[in-house]
Amino acid sequence: MNPVIGLDISKGESHGQAFLERGKPYRGTFQFEHTHEGLSKLLQTVHDVEHTSGQRPLLVLEATGHYQSPVVQFLLKSRLRKVKTDAADAYLLGELYYKEEFEPFKKRGVQLLNLRYLTRQYESLSKMCVQTKLQFQAVLDQVFPASKVSSGLCILAFHFDF
């Protein structure tokens, strides 16, 4: 036997399908939340498949960025085999395991995760800055249609008689 469990990861909950071997699903599709109780349900399914097949199943899941983090962290802390990734739904992931080659899951360091987060924040702030400048320019053009704008700077001169 060559057991595998395919996991379709979503925000807050996931679906899974276990296979004892190619074309032989184990029970039906199951659902679990990303809570301690839900992840314990996943672990129990892993143990059930292992008991039935005599081998620990390989887990295959979507690479969903941060949605997979609670599941992967729980599996790593439960000392299960390394998790592999690919994109598809739970049933197809299990089927796909028998057809494709996968890259092992790589645990990211804290510095890399922080750098990724800061880079995304910088991109977001840069886009907001550009958008604000464009909106400001549009308002300026409406309020002062004859004003001269040079390199994004607008110099307005007013003379007040007191």
Side-chain angles (χ1 to χ4, degrees), residues 39-108:
L39 293 169
S40 295
K41 180 180 174 182
L42 169 62
L43 188 58
Q44 183 59 50
T45 302
V46 171
H47 292 309
D48 291 349
V49 171
E50 183 176 9
H51 180 69
T52 303
S53 68
Q55 295 177 324
R56 179 162 283 180
L58 190 66
L59 287 127
V60 182
L61 59 114
E62 291 182 275
T64 58
H66 61 282
Y67 291 154
Q68 72 195 19
S69 293
V71 176
V72 171
Q73 290 300 319
F74 180 82
L75 294 174
L76 290 173
K77 289 178 183 176
S78 299
R79 297 178 180 247
L80 293 176
R81 217 180 263 189
K82 284 186 179 179
V83 179
K84 298 197 175 197
T85 60
D86 193 46
D89 67 355
Y91 189 92
L92 293 177
L93 281 168
E95 285 283 325
L96 189 61
Y97 164 74
Y98 297 106
K99 299 177 185 175
E100 300 289 332
E101 303 241 349
F102 299 97
E103 294 180 25
F105 169 76
K106 296 174 185 149
K107 188 175 178 181
R108 306 273 195 262

Side-chain angles (χ1 to χ4, degrees), residues 119-157:
T119 302
R120 289 180 179 164
Q121 291 298 315
Y122 176 79
E123 273 185 35
S124 176
L125 291 172
S126 294
K127 287 179 183 177
M128 286 173 36
C129 184
V130 168
Q131 190 65 29
T132 302
K133 285 180 181 179
L134 290 173
Q135 289 173 346
F136 178 70
Q137 185 64 48
V139 169
L140 257 173
D141 288 343
Q142 289 175 1
V143 175
F144 302 106
S147 67
K148 299 291 180 192
V149 177
S150 172
S151 304
L153 297 175
C154 180
I155 301 172
L156 300 174

Side-chain angles (χ1 to χ4, degrees), residues 5-6 15-19 25-31 45 49 90-91:
I5 298 176
H15 292 82
Q17 174 65 57
F19 292 82
Y26 177 75
R27 299 182 184 162
T29 302
F30 61 95
Q31 176 188 0
T45 302
V49 171
Y91 189 92

